[in-house]
Amino acid sequence: MRDTRWVRRLALRVRTLLLRDRVERELDEEFRFHIEERIAAEVARGLSPQEARRIALLSMDGVDQAKEACRDTRHTQAIEHFFRDVRYALRSLARSPAFAAIAILSLALGMGANTAIFSIVDKLLLESLPVRNPRELVLLNPSGLRNGWTAGSRTWSYQAYRGLRERQRVFTGLIAERTDAVNLTVDGATQRAVASIVSGNYFDVLGVRALQGRLFGDDDDRVRSGHPVVVLSHGFWVERLGSRSDIVGGTLRVGGHPFNVIGITERGFNGLEVGGPVDLFVPTMMLPDVVTYTKALDERTAYIFQVYGRLAPGTGRQQAESQLQPVYLTELEQDVAAMGSRAPTGDSWKRGTLRLEDGHRGTSGLRRDLQTPLTAVMAMTIVLLLTACANIAGLQMARASARLKEISIRLAMGASRGRILQQLLTESAVIALLGALAGLWVAWLTIRLLLAEMGDSAERLRLVTTFLDVRVLAFTFVFATATGLAFGLLPALFATRPEVWPGLKSGIVADVGGQARLRRVLVMAQLALSLVLVTASGLFGRTLLNLRRADAGFQTERLVQFQLNPGAAGYDRARSEALFHEILDDLRSVPGVSRATLSVAPVLDNALMGFSLDVDGYSGRDGARARAVASVVAPEYFGFVGTPLVRGREFSASDTARSRRVAIVSETFVQRYLPNLDPLGRTIGLSYGRGERFYHEIVGVAKNARLNNLRDEPPPTFYLPYTQFDVLNNSFVLARIQTDPDLLRRPIEALVRRHDPELPVVAYSTVDEQIDRLLRPERLVASLSLAFGLLATGLGAIGLYGVVAFTVARRTREIGVRMALGAARGTVLRMVLRGVAGIAAMGVGAGAILSLALARYVESQLYGVRARDFATLGAAAALLVMVALISGWLPARKASRVDPMLALRQD
Amino acid sequence: MASVTETMSKPPDLVQGTLDLLLLTIIALEPVHGWAISQRLKQMSDDALQVSDGSLYPALHKLEQEGWIRGDWKISANGRRAKFYTLTRPGRRALEREAAEWKRLAGAISHMVRLIEG
């Protein structure tokens, strides 16, 4: 027989919880009925009604105890108490709206900032790639010789990768990958897209699944240019193709060549670069079709791939490294053999090692740029939260002492200390929870703001897809609870001490000094933390200003740049050059454009290519070559950008592909590689990774310009005319303008379209905007630290006001006596302010020590100002002391206005 | 007329488990409210068994929370509302079980006592 009791029991408990009032009334009514009946029976036996009533009540054994016993049988007491506490807490918060507002607001800001920063820190710095067993992945980082140029972690040639893959035994899978920007044509419209060119086993090894269609296998990667298949990423399919159902099985053009769409990846996978989401995937065999390095797959010295491996389970990293070493050396030997006469002399290259680096978080340029700033910001948000907690603790203590009488009464009437503590803690928890809920909203706003600051748009980064993921919620909840306990426990314990009982009688509570001391310490802590934040904001603000004012070495105003990619549209070299030539001419006749020139690399985008050069007149140690970055430009470039030449001449129209090869070098280049020598007339030799070297004669020396970014000292730089540079697949066009850049966009796009409708204008922006983008991390940190500094100072001011008001109220009688004995208003004011100054001095002093101690952690973030800058520290300290004095002055003024008669009469 | 002392002296309270059994048997006969239960207990046992009013209701409420009995509000004989208790089906089964157990126990004890009495 099934026992259905539990249904009934559950129903009863639910009824008790929901219809509490009705249940209580029923209990009353039941007892009343019984008593009435009893009275009736006694009266029937002959007693008087009054006597009968007395007997009846007596026989009940104490009605209240009996009722309580009935309630106990319900086993819902704990929950009922909790609900009652919550309702009580809400009511008492409603009675003190100012306190509630300040408490919830400061918590919301503190916790909201924390949640927001933590979300981003989690996604960018902590989270693993959404692949199978990410911890097994390693990035292969070789330290052997590298010729030509390498970019970031792209340190493998295709041939070396294949060699390694065949011969190695430690990985269950080895994949090669590189990312390129490509021209994508869908239904006739061309746009730029990010493509990942991957080995056939990429999806298998990573364990990525298809949402629709299928993904590559090794069979899709066997024959050169023989597999025109493409896989789309889910994000791209949703964002830019509108989730159309007909795309799989259809065709689109990548780099001008037709590709079949065979599938779409599962949601959440965006390639191996965090913050640089991939739009589509093509096999390595299609590399020559997609980007125009026609021989790239064969060149042993074209280091263009990054290689990841999945370690067999149980294989340690060091063990794998030592097992791979001989295989790696074999590849190095082949590399050297392929270099022929350009091979390095000596044997030092044989000592090259292959390091395996942690791969579970993928690679991320964004992470590299933002790791330190984000950590600094996270530290600041925690400091802010602590300040908020200290504030609320102080406020809670003040409230607790105001309710002392009420609590004493309850204790005297038999409430257990535990119950009251429970109720006070519930109150703290309610505040914390309300603060956390408001904080979630603040966090949502903050994340939107931060992502807008950090990247082109929140969606573009695909960083935070679901803001409210489980980890964030769990984090917020734990923080809220911990915070609630933190600022609730101390005041609660304090308020329920037995020594508090005498407060019932006289209203004077013993050991209030203890409470005042504690609150003073809290305020001092707040001031100290505020000083740290304000000093930080001063340092970061100055850094930002310094960077903005930094001399780029060329005129950045009224300068627009955009990119054209004829190579990606299938143009050959000659056609590209002709195109650029024509466009430059046509541009000059667009109204609003005064001059135009070319620069293959964009300015101020950390985009200059690095080369190893033979410099006539320089020999490095062990035969090492000179290293410099290259800027490939059009004639009259220097006059255009405003970088003066200190020697020699500019490039001119007569420097063509057929004339003598020339170059211009920067001052640093001369200082580094040709000191005390006349650079003009000397040659520099570079190769493009194909073995042949080209020698250019130096015909000019230019002043240093910061072409990569505003922070770093400009590296040795050399300039080549674009007619004499190997590739011209793409280039940036720079235009000096006289009107609003937005107005010029359409005319320029129309101009380009007239030459080729399938050639998009890419990355159109002013150089000022470029600088803004470059300085984004600095701006982020500066503005956040300023906001936090202000918030913390505000909270500290409120806390200080509270403490002083409390102290003054306590000493009202004393003040009255003093004034009655003749003390002037001013004396009283000075007395109180001295106390305030004392608190402020100690707080600021502690903060100064803390700031100096923490200084070295932010050193790397600063520019043009040292971390232990006393001017900034002094200014921050002065500001804080002033704020403290003002917030202390207000209650002090009230104290000095006290009527001595009233004060003396006060209890 | 009962003397005051008689009404004032408290009769011995029944052990909880036994009290539950008695309440269940009374409720099993027909739906009753608390006052009627206490009266009936006195009647049916010839005043040998009494339960103090203060213990009656907690016991009833416990039985209700356990699911053995059910409370319904109805109009009583004198026109006022009262909470009438009825046995639930699980309650009836529990009663049978407890009654059987009690009979077994009582039988064993009686047997032992008869031995002593000779």
PDB file of all heavy atoms in Angstrom, chain A residues 131 340 455:
ATOM      1  N   VAL A 131      37.145  23.367 -25.795  1.00  0.00           N
ATOM      2  CA  VAL A 131      37.483  22.175 -26.571  1.00  0.00           C
ATOM      3  C   VAL A 131      37.566  20.997 -25.621  1.00  0.00           C
ATOM      4  O   VAL A 131      37.475  21.160 -24.407  1.00  0.00           O
ATOM      5  CB  VAL A 131      38.835  22.351 -27.306  1.00  0.00           C
ATOM      6  CG1 VAL A 131      38.740  23.484 -28.288  1.00  0.00           C
ATOM      7  CG2 VAL A 131      39.947  22.586 -26.316  1.00  0.00           C
ATOM      8  N   GLY A 340      71.051  27.382 -47.493  1.00  0.00           N
ATOM      9  CA  GLY A 340      72.176  27.447 -48.431  1.00  0.00           C
ATOM     10  C   GLY A 340      73.244  28.390 -47.946  1.00  0.00           C
ATOM     11  O   GLY A 340      73.766  28.262 -46.835  1.00  0.00           O
ATOM     12  N   GLY A 455      36.937  47.022 -26.945  1.00  0.00           N
ATOM     13  CA  GLY A 455      36.990  46.461 -28.283  1.00  0.00           C
ATOM     14  C   GLY A 455      36.022  47.186 -29.185  1.00  0.00           C
ATOM     15  O   GLY A 455      35.379  48.137 -28.792  1.00  0.00           O
TER      16      GLY A 455
END
